[in-house]
């Protein structure tokens, strides 16, 4: 009998991952995961196709999403789990994000054009789908970076982010902002739990402190690139606040080839606590 492992953070072709939801489920089976959540950026599309496959493969699937929010000038990611994916509060927020991304991507393309790099909206979907197979629901900067590579404006996705489209770089555009509070409220309306994603990536301590005062339900204590020291820090905070403890790899497939599915996970105790909270 395999050890119980739940990977609660990964991305499919519905956002900026390179495997379809079905391929993620197959891989989860292959690497021996007991439970899974597909947490695409700002879309819950993966759940419907993954659910029957997980059932067939005896993998427990919980609904998931990673919402982009803004606090002051900083981008903060919030994970939602166990919500009703058809709840109007969720579908409406996802639809508003689709519009935000469309507008924001156009802004970025316009800035790139000013820097002599011409990429049309069609190039963007073509470049993304040539590599990533499917029509996307949540097009973002990784797809713009792929189009830039395809058009040989840069040599790699990393170079695209570093020189042009990373936060604060000359062709970066933030777009419409969604607040942390409205995002937490939406997840709660749909009967889910709201979790602070990869807290170690939040550079400003005052932002971390502000988040810890908000009505989150948990914190992602185990994450792809955390050190054991990082884990201990967030575990201590979660225990003190009696918050849920979650974890996952943030697997994206080929886009981030060094991060494998199941690389970070939580065991049965923390997963059961999450399931009990959702009952
Ligand atoms: P977006 O949601 O469109 O703002 O894109 C954010 C996503 O881009 C993140 O979730 C990562 O998957 C990816 N990303 C952010 N920074 C980098 C970077 N420096 N290199 C590669 N990918 C990145
Ligand atoms: Zn991503
Ligand atoms: Fe994230
Ligand atoms: Fe993620």
């Amino acid at each position: 009998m395999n050890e119980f492992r739940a990977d609660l953070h990964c991305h499919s072709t519905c956002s900026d991952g390179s495997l379809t939801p079905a391929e993620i489920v197959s891989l989860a089976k292959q690497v021996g995961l007991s439970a899974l959540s597909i947490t695409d950026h700002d879309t819950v599309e993966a759940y419907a196709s993954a659910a029957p496959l997980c059932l067939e493969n005896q993998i427990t699937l919980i609904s998931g999403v990673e919402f982009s929010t803004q606090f002051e000038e900083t981008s903060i990611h919030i994970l939602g789990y166990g919500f009703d994916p058809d709840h109007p509060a969720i579908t409406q927020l996802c639809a508003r994000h689709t519009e935000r991304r469309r507008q924001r991507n156009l802004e970025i393309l316009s800035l790139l054009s000013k820097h002599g790099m011409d990429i049309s909206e069609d190039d963007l979907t073509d470049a993304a789908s040539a590599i990533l197979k499917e029509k996307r629901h949540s097009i973002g900067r990784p797809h713009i970076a792929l189009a830039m590579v395809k058009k040989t404006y840069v040599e790699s996705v990393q170079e695209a982010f570093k020189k042009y489209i990373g936060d604060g770089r000359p062709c970066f555009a933030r777009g419409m902002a969604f607040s942390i509070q409205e995002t937490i409220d939406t997840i709660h309306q749909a009967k889910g739990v709201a979790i602070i994603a990869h807290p170690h990536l939040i550079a400003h301590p005052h932002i971390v402190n502000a988040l810890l005062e908000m009505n989150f339900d948990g914190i992602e204590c185990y994450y792809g690139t955390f050190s054991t020291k990082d884990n201990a820090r967030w575990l201590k905070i979660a225990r003190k606040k009696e918050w849920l403890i979650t974890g996952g790899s943030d697997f994206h497939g080929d886009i981030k080839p060094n991060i494998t599915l199941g690389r970070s996970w939580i065991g049965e105790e923390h997963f059961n606590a999450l399931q009990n909270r959702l009952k």
Side-chain angles (χ1 to χ4, degrees), residues 117-181:
M117 290 170 272
D118 281 308
I119 296 172
S120 66
E121 253 190 304
D122 282 346
D123 289 335
L124 187 56
T125 36
D126 285 354
S129 58
I131 300 170
L132 301 162
K133 300 169 217 156
E134 281 198 351
K135 188 175 174 295
R136 343 260 333 154
H137 306 286
S138 228
I139 295 183
R141 284 181 288 163
H143 308 108
I144 297 177
L146 287 170
M148 291 168 75
V149 173
K150 191 174 178 201
K151 290 210 141 185
T152 69
Y153 294 134
V154 289
E155 282 185 7
S156 67
V157 166
Q158 280 306 332
E159 187 188 341
F161 272 91
K162 203 166 161 203
K163 282 197 183 155
Y164 300 109
I165 61 172
D167 287 35
R169 304 307 301 149
C171 302
F172 172 67
R174 201 174 291 284
M176 202 196 311
F178 291 89
S179 78
I180 295 178
Q181 194 58 60

Side-chain angles (χ1 to χ4, degrees), residues 12 51-52 57 79 152 185 196 201 247:
S12 78
N57 286 287
L79 292 160
T152 69
D185 291 346
I196 303 172
L201 295 180

Side-chain angles (χ1 to χ4, degrees), residues 17-202:
S18 69
L19 298 189
T20 63
E23 288 166 338
I24 290 183
V25 176
S26 298
L27 185 59
K29 181 79 180 168
Q30 207 180 310
V31 301
L33 291 177
S34 309
L36 178 71
S37 184
I38 302 178
T39 51
D40 278 308
H41 296 288
D42 310 315
T43 172
V44 298
E45 298 277 339
Y47 185 79
S49 51
L53 299 170
C54 278
L55 202 60
E56 249 170 60
N57 286 287
Q58 286 144 355
I59 293 169
T60 306
L61 180 74
I62 58 169
S63 60
V65 65
E66 183 172 18
F67 279 125
S68 316
T69 71
Q70 199 176 315
F71 185 97
E72 297 168 355
E73 287 306 301
T74 301
S75 158
I76 301 290
H77 285 175
I78 298 178
L79 292 160
Y81 294 119
F83 50 82
D84 168 7
D86 297 319
H87 194 288
I90 290 284
T91 52
Q92 278 161 25
L93 182 58
C94 290
R96 289 167 64 211
H97 271 290
T98 304
E99 185 51 26
R100 169 183 76 88
R101 283 179 175 277
R102 204 187 63 79
Q103 284 178 5
R104 197 239 352 206
N105 291 345
L106 288 176
E107 259 178 81
I108 294 177
L109 295 187
S110 153
L111 287 165
L112 287 171
S113 162
K114 287 186 186 135
H115 284 74
M117 290 170 272
D118 281 308
I119 296 172
S120 66
E121 253 190 304
D122 282 346
D123 289 335
L124 187 56
T125 36
D126 285 354
S129 58
I131 300 170
L132 301 162
K133 300 169 217 156
E134 281 198 351
K135 188 175 174 295
R136 343 260 333 154
H137 306 286
S138 228
I139 295 183
R141 284 181 288 163
H143 308 108
I144 297 177
L146 287 170
M148 291 168 75
V149 173
K150 191 174 178 201
K151 290 210 141 185
T152 69
Y153 294 134
V154 289
E155 282 185 7
S156 67
V157 166
Q158 280 306 332
E159 187 188 341
F161 272 91
K162 203 166 161 203
K163 282 197 183 155
Y164 300 109
I165 61 172
D167 287 35
R169 304 307 301 149
C171 302
F172 172 67
R174 201 174 291 284
M176 202 196 311
F178 291 89
S179 78
I180 295 178
Q181 194 58 60
E182 71 180 312
T183 304
I184 296 177
D185 291 346
T186 299
I187 296 167
H188 285 164
Q189 276 167 35
K191 308 277 180 255
V193 293
I195 309 289
I196 303 172
H198 40 63
H200 72 311
L201 295 180
I202 306 167

Side-chain angles (χ1 to χ4, degrees), residues 9-11 16 39-41 66 77 79 197-198 220 223 249-252 256:
H9 190 156
C10 66
H11 297 268
D16 58 2
T39 51
D40 278 308
H41 296 288
E66 183 172 18
H77 285 175
L79 292 160
H198 40 63
E220 189 173 45
Y223 179 81
S249 58
D250 207 1
F251 173 76
H252 280 72
K256 299 181 181 178

